[in-house]
Amino acid sequence: MTTALYLEDSYLKECDAWVASVKDDKYVVLDQTIFYPKGGGQPSDTGKIMKEDETYEVVYVGKFAGEISHEVDRAGLKQGDRIHAILNWERRYKLMRSHTAAHVLASLLCEGTGALVTGNQLEEEKVRFDFSLEEYNQEILSDYMDKANTLLTKDIPVKWYWLPKEEALKIPGVVKMAEALPPDIPNLRIVEIVGVDKQADGGTHVRNLKEVGQIKLLKTQNKGKSNRRVYFTLV
Ligand SMILES: [Zn+2]
């Protein structure tokens, strides 16, 4: 089983690793990795795997049958190889900032209006955020964007840690996603924005709200009676 270093330290940009297996010449499993596999609304990392002077581009990372699989652009890596992994940090850091921003906005909206989050998709340049709320208009949303931006100027730490599932599920609002069932594992990873939000989450986040910067609304859509879709971006 690969050690997922990004779950403990989201700021690791490089690591050494052993190649544990290679399938079809291009799906590489490592003994440990800094690459985030697509999931939970956060896209996969990209970057490079270096073997001595050879470079393999990591074009996609996914989780298959519990294994983190790195798709590389060409054949050549073999089981037992010693490699050096390098993250496309610029992309990852943007995703960390926007993921934390999405938690802030979700938390404010859910707490203030009773909205339910129904979907969340981060991209490098924008975030899609779906929620369900009947009483709604553009001003309400602008208001919550402003509230989020005020919080994002503050020196507020963000922490992540594991809790036994039973204990974690006692935290109000710890599972924000409507219909989302917590994974069938004994411990849940909690991402806590101190004093603002606690959420069960496997994603990568910044350590302080100040790192996010500000966010800007791009567009909104209404999808039926109470389903709202919002796009925002980092500024
Ligand atoms: Zn999240």
Side-chain angles (χ1 to χ4, degrees):
M1 194 66 137
T2 310
T3 304
L5 299 172
Y6 57 85
L7 287 178
E8 307 302 330
D9 185 354
S10 55
Y11 288 78
L12 283 176
K13 301 170 187 71
E14 301 188 17
C15 80
D16 290 325
W18 296 101
V19 174
S21 69
V22 181
K23 200 179 133 207
D24 301 338
D25 286 334
K26 62 174 184 178
Y27 301 107
V28 180
V29 174
L30 303 170
D31 69 328
Q32 58 174 13
T33 190
I34 48 175
F35 286 95
Y36 182 84
K38 179 181 160 66
Q42 184 176 328
S44 91
D45 284 328
T46 58
K48 288 179 174 48
I49 288 178
M50 310 288 297
K51 183 173 85 174
E52 292 169 359
D53 56 356
E54 296 167 19
T55 302
Y56 299 83
E57 296 291 334
V58 176
V59 294
Y60 181 81
V61 186
K63 223 174 193 182
F64 300 98
E67 286 287 9
I68 300 166
S69 169
H70 308 71
E71 182 182 347
V72 291
D73 64 336
R74 63 191 183 93
L77 289 170
K78 289 181 188 59
Q79 186 176 23
D81 282 346
R82 187 66 173 163
I83 63 96
H84 187 68
I86 305 171
L87 215 58
N88 177 347
W89 174 249
E90 203 181 317
R91 170 184 159 87
R92 155 66 89 73
Y93 190 56
K94 258 190 209 168
L95 292 168
M96 282 161 55
R97 290 166 58 213
S98 48
H99 199 157
T100 304
H103 280 211
V104 169
L105 187 62
S107 161
L108 290 171
L109 260 173
C110 293
E111 207 185 286
T113 67
L116 287 173
V117 181
T118 52
N120 194 3
Q121 184 59 54
L122 308 176
E123 287 175 35
E124 205 176 332
E125 300 306 331
K126 64 177 188 294
V127 178
R128 196 194 81 209
F129 180 58
D130 295 326
F131 58 98
S132 132
L133 180 64
E134 275 195 38
E135 289 283 323
Y136 170 82
N137 59 46
Q138 192 73 32
E139 275 142 62
I140 294 180
L141 185 68
S142 304
D143 195 33
Y144 281 98
M145 292 295 289
D146 289 348
K147 283 186 174 129
N149 275 327
T150 303
L151 270 181
L152 292 172
T153 61
K154 297 202 169 138
D155 182 3
I156 295 177
V158 183
K159 308 190 286 194
W160 41 92
Y161 47 86
W162 298 84
L163 283 183
K165 189 165 150 184
E166 274 182 29
E167 195 182 323
L169 292 178
K170 287 180 192 152
I171 303 169
V174 75
V175 178
K176 289 271 183 307
M177 211 55 154
E179 294 152 30
L181 280 177
D184 190 19
I185 46 173
N187 295 302
L188 289 183
R189 184 172 178 267
I190 305 298
V191 172
E192 176 177 357
I193 303 171
V194 175
V196 178
D197 184 51
K198 283 184 191 174
Q199 197 169 330
D201 194 87
T204 57
H205 291 264
V206 291
R207 291 190 193 113
N208 194 295
L209 284 196
K210 270 187 171 170
E211 286 187 48
V212 173
Q214 295 283 281
I215 56 174
K216 183 179 83 179
L217 190 64
L218 288 176
K219 70 174 179 179
T220 65
Q221 290 169 344
N222 289 332
K223 304 213 155 237
K225 193 163 172 266
S226 59
N227 292 317
R228 320 295 175 189
R229 172 163 286 185
V230 168
Y231 293 89
F232 71 84
T233 188
L234 298 168
V235 289

